[in-house]
Amino acid sequence: MEGDIANMGQYIGAGLATIGLGGAGIGVGHVAGNYLAGALRNPAAAAEQQATLFIGIAFAEALGIFSFLVALLLLFAV
């Protein structure tokens, strides 16, 4: 009985940790959408903002990968 409750806690914790993956997808969508909105307003400045686009996407994806890592640690290491 105690082992079942511990396993249930692991699965619930891992499920809650994967919410960050959805947040990363939403974040990438916002970064790309705002870049496109700015590029359509001022096409001449789009090339200068491309590095900022990639940095924003990288940060959003890093948070998603971190939440996935936390989920895996909760499933297999705890």
Side-chain angles (χ1 to χ4, degrees):
M1 182 74 177
E2 289 179 15
D4 293 336
I5 293 174
N7 285 337
M8 181 181 64
Q10 285 179 337
Y11 294 140
I12 290 172
L16 290 174
T18 57
I19 292 173
L21 294 172
I26 292 170
V28 168
H30 279 291
V31 168
N34 288 332
Y35 170 75
L36 286 175
L40 290 174
R41 282 191 201 126
N42 188 1
E48 297 172 7
Q49 296 299 320
Q50 193 170 11
T52 307
L53 168 73
F54 290 133
I55 290 171
I57 288 174
F59 281 142
E61 287 295 325
L63 291 175
I65 291 170
F66 180 69
S67 67
F68 181 66
L69 178 65
V70 168
L72 287 178
L73 286 173
L74 286 172
L75 280 177
F76 299 115
V78 175

